[in-house]
């Protein structure tokens, strides 16, 4: 028998407290969670089943698979319809994950909970997970250190005559050998990415359907993003934005590599990205509006006459940063219409990037931990454009 | 400008006809599709937006991203609420993807379509996609050939002293270099897997939360499936079940490798798996009930006194095969309570597997195309257990 609960009691209590605070805010007296990210958040492992949490903080884990999990909170069931008979009473205002679960799954669980108007449990979980606990920060820091270690080795992987996808595959292998789990968790079903995004030269300017900072045509129209087989040649930049999930919690880091001499405009834009990082990190004290950070980033790009290249060229992404943790798209969102407020405990990836036609993508992405004393960078590989040849 | 529609007109008409047939069966006069797999099915590419299809077979593509797509069926919109004004009339019985889209997405789209009781468009798409068109079969065949080419090279990747995850990483790299796209599409949010499942020795007996044929503890409790760092040693089998998505359409193939001498019981079980393949492929003529195939597989395992090892040992999977194409879990399902009927044009992965304690997993998985003249195997790498040392 394995213990289901892999979090120590204190750490679990912290996470439970964050969720119950959100339940109180939205008026839910219980929440029934089924999304893998939620189960992992509240127990430290993924299983097939449900976490049921009351506003008083009592946790029950209803498990369907795997077999042989143990603990005082574990109740085995065959199907969700078994749950009500295991509860003392049904809640009067239960929450369900209305953004993370399918329509039919919610309808089924709502029947189980005997409600026709579930509270939005996805909103509760987003609020809870926006501020990281001690235990979460520890795992994020570990990913940052490992990702940095991988990035420092990237130049050694380049061989003359490589295509972007060949370079990417060697980076994937190195990351995996250093412990990268590969899985890239994204909230929402329309976002897809395999292991990361490596874009060389003008492929950076190929518009993509996904809501990532950068595009790329991809290798196949079934997955139109990232490397497209471009031969890496002098005058190009190669932007590397590859999976930082080493612990179940991710960091997000982007660095730029160059071949031969690149255009002064690209160098200028890269330095502008670094300036945006410095200014936003200094400006983003607790209480700052996330959208003010976006506005300032755009303003800096304008001041330096780089607006038309900012966050894309043929197509522009309308954000400059995002929270992350278990998933790559958590709160806060650093975007024009964001209503999020910068708060200690947030973990934010900032990615002011530029696409320079004829050269490629430039700019830095770092993951920061917001503290009362400033933003702490968790991804500390060198930020300069690194020459591969 | 790029053409949105990447299917030739005839191929698209075949797919449209399959979907409209399902719409007629379920009484929908239009369907509004948003799931990436559906958009890819009907257009040959993934984009951010919607395919709107009437029962008469008229297709409109409402596109939000990427920019610059072209074609007579393309209408750019900013948000789904823009759709009604672009339609001549709203349908009276619209279908939406109730299994593939989130609750909140369906609620929003139902409002757009002015309905409170949408028909289940996921069921329509599942039925449509269960029978492959000529164009789909071509892409599946291509994946089968490439996957076979990769599998034949697997023994050359083994080095003494490797762990299962190190072996897996070399297989991943080889697959990617041969064109594997990596993306492993699964319908349903509770199933997760990175690039494939490689399990060595007794790790095969570690129960997993996911509904795959085999388990494995995985490298981290955030993704508890597959390789767990087991050192590959004499007496063990290593089962390789790795991503066959080379074209947007997948094949699924499993082969077993051994180190040194393995137990006669494992050899017997592997041969039993091959017998199940032969018998089921011969028995599965059009009109056969899918569950009869499952029953026969279990019966053969019983006849050979291998039932307790069949589809797992500590935990048992309750199916022996599954349809596949764009996603790994399409119709039909070869399971005890399946109501599916074997039909020409289906593509089925059959995976009778056994877990032998002290040795590991054995058994073969092949992908078949069901024809009026028998099952055609699309994954033709050698089926014997191949010795690595």
């Amino acid at each position: 028998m394995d213990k289901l609960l892999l979090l120590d009691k204190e750490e679990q209590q912290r996470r439970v407290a964050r969720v119950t605070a959100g339940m109180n805010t939205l008026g839910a007296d219980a929440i029934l969670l089924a999304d893998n990210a939620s189960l992992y958040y509240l127990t430290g492992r993924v299983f097939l089943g449900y976490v049921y949490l009351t506003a008083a903080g009592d946790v029950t884990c209803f498990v369907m698979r795997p077999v042989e999990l143990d603990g005082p909170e574990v109740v085995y069931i065959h199907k969700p319809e078994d749950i009500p008979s295991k509860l003392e009473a049904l809640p009067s205002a239960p929450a369900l994950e209305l953004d993370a679960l399918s329509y039919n799954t919610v309808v089924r669980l709502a029947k189980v909970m005997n409600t026709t108007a579930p509270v939005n449990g996805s909103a509760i979980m987003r609020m809870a997970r926006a501020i990281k606990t001690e235990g979460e920060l520890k795992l994020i820091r570990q990913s940052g250190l490992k990702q940095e270690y991988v990035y420092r080795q990237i130049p050694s992987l380049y061989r003359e005559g490589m295509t972007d996808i060949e370079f990417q595959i060697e980076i994937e292998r190195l990351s995996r050998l250093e412990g990268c789990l590969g899985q890239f968790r994204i909230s929402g079903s329309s976002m897809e990415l395999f292991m990361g995004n490596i874009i060389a030269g003008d492929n950076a300017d190929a518009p993509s359907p996904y809501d990532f900072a950068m595009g790329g045509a991809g290798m196949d129209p079934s997955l139109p993003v990232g490397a497209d087989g471009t031969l890496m040649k002098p005058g190009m930049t190669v932007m590397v934005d590859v999976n930082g999930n080493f612990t179940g919690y991710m960091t997000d880091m982007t660095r730029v590599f160059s071949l031969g001499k690149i255009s002064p405009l690209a160098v200028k834009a890269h330095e502008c990205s670094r300036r945006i990082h410095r200014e936003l990190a200094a400006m983003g004290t607790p209480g700052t509006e996330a959208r003010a950070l976006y506005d300032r980033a755009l303003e800096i790009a304008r001041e330096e006459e780089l607006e038309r290249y900012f966050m894309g060229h043929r197509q522009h992404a309308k954000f400059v940063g995002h929270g992350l943790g278990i998933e790559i798209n958590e709160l806060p969102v650093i975007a024009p219409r964001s209503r999020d407020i910068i708060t200690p405990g947030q973990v934010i990836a900032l990615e002011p990037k530029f696409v320079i036609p004829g050269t490629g993508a430039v700019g830095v992405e770092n993951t920061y931990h917001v503290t009362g004393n400033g933003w702490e960078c968790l991804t500390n590989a060198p930020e300069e454009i690194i020459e591969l040849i």
Side-chain angles (χ1 to χ4, degrees), chain A:
Chain A
M1 302 291 275
D2 281 340
K3 262 188 71 176
L4 183 143
L5 200 63
L6 297 180
L7 303 174
D8 69 51
K9 203 67 203 167
E10 271 188 11
E11 174 62 21
Q12 197 212 13
Q13 285 307 318
R14 280 182 212 116
R15 299 189 189 188
V16 165
R18 291 212 51 79
V19 178
T20 54
M23 290 163 66
N24 288 333
T25 306
L26 293 195
D29 60 348
I31 188 166
L32 184 68
L33 299 163
D35 186 49
N36 286 345
S38 299
L39 306 191
Y40 176 61
Y41 179 73
L42 280 168
T43 68
R45 74 156 76 229
V46 168
F47 59 93
L48 185 70
Y50 307 88
V51 168
Y52 180 79
L53 171 61
T54 67
D58 294 321
V59 175
T60 311
C61 298
F62 294 105
V63 184
M64 297 189 288
R65 251 198 324 257
V67 296
E68 301 173 16
L69 291 181
D70 198 20
E73 63 290 320
V74 175
V75 178
Y76 271 91
I77 58 171
H78 292 290
K79 52 184 191 301
E81 286 72 17
D82 299 340
I83 292 174
S85 69
K86 318 271 187 189
L87 297 176
E88 283 181 27
L90 281 174
S92 57
L96 296 170
E97 296 157 293
L98 307 188
D99 294 318
L101 303 184
S102 78
Y103 180 85
N104 274 341
T105 300
V106 168
V107 167
R108 181 175 182 182
L109 295 180
K111 227 173 258 172
V112 166
M113 290 284 107
N114 194 30
T115 181
T116 53
V119 177
N120 190 358
S122 292
I124 292 170
M125 294 307 294
R126 266 197 299 273
M127 284 192 288
R129 285 168 42 199
I131 309 295
K132 271 62 183 177
T133 62
E134 264 179 52
E136 292 186 283
L137 280 169
K138 199 175 145 192
L139 294 174
I140 295 172
R141 277 180 212 287
Q142 280 176 21
S143 278
L145 288 172
K146 291 204 172 178
Q147 198 179 14
E148 183 187 323
Y149 186 72
V150 167
Y151 269 65
R152 286 177 184 274
Q153 296 177 67
I154 287 176
S156 71
L157 301 174
Y158 176 72
R159 299 285 173 271
E160 209 188 311
M162 265 185 169
T163 61
D164 54 358
I165 186 73
E166 288 166 344
F167 192 46
Q168 170 161 349
I169 291 167
E170 299 309 326
I171 297 171
E172 288 174 359
R173 173 175 177 272
L174 172 64
S175 296
R176 294 276 286 149
L177 286 172
E178 296 297 345
C180 181
L181 300 171
Q183 202 71 13
F184 185 72
R185 289 198 171 85
I186 312 179
S187 168
S189 63
S190 61
M191 302 272 279
E192 295 178 310
L193 185 70
F194 179 54
M195 172 94 183
N197 196 346
I198 278 79
I199 33 178
D202 274 338
N203 182 40
D205 211 6
S208 157
Y210 305 104
D211 195 16
F212 297 116
M214 294 283 108
M219 299 297 295
D220 188 89
S222 68
L223 192 65
V225 62
D228 72 340
T230 293
L231 182 66
M232 291 162 64
K233 283 191 296 202
M236 284 183 184
T237 59
V238 185
M239 176 173 271
V240 176
D241 182 359
V242 77
N243 194 315
N245 175 11
F246 293 81
T247 64
Y249 281 80
M250 283 180 268
T251 45
D252 203 355
M253 169 160 45
T254 301
R255 292 297 184 264
V256 174
F257 302 86
S258 66
L259 292 107
K261 196 177 156 49
I262 61 166
S263 72
L265 183 62
V267 174
K268 178 186 172 183
H270 191 76
E271 289 311 311
C272 180
S273 169
R274 297 182 67 191
R275 177 184 163 199
I276 292 172
H277 273 272
R278 286 191 303 271
E279 290 206 20
L280 266 52
M283 173 184 167
T285 50
T288 306
E289 290 183 318
R291 66 179 167 192
L293 295 178
Y294 177 86
D295 292 345
R296 180 59 191 144
L298 182 59
E299 198 173 66
I300 295 172
R302 260 184 211 141
E303 279 173 26
E304 303 207 11
E305 291 179 348
L306 292 165
E307 183 182 0
R308 56 187 293 226
Y309 313 113
F310 183 56
M311 301 307 290
H313 168 249
R314 280 169 66 192
Q315 177 174 291
H316 298 263
K318 287 292 193 299
F319 68 95
V320 71
H322 54 89
L324 71 165
I326 301 170
E327 294 175 310
I328 200 70
N329 49 352
E330 304 196 352
L331 295 181
V333 184
I334 316 294
R337 287 183 294 184
S338 174
R339 285 181 292 184
D340 302 330
I341 302 293
I342 301 303
T343 309
Q346 288 173 342
V347 171
I348 299 174
L350 209 60
E351 49 178 330
K353 296 176 180 173
F354 297 87
V355 173
I356 309 298
T359 301
V362 293
V364 159
E365 177 174 31
N366 280 323
T367 300
Y368 299 93
H369 169 216
V370 178
T371 78
N373 295 315
W375 290 24
E376 173 199 12
C377 185
L378 306 178
T379 47
N380 292 296
E383 294 185 352
E384 298 79 12
I385 296 178
I386 293 171
E387 290 180 16
L388 295 176
I389 52 167

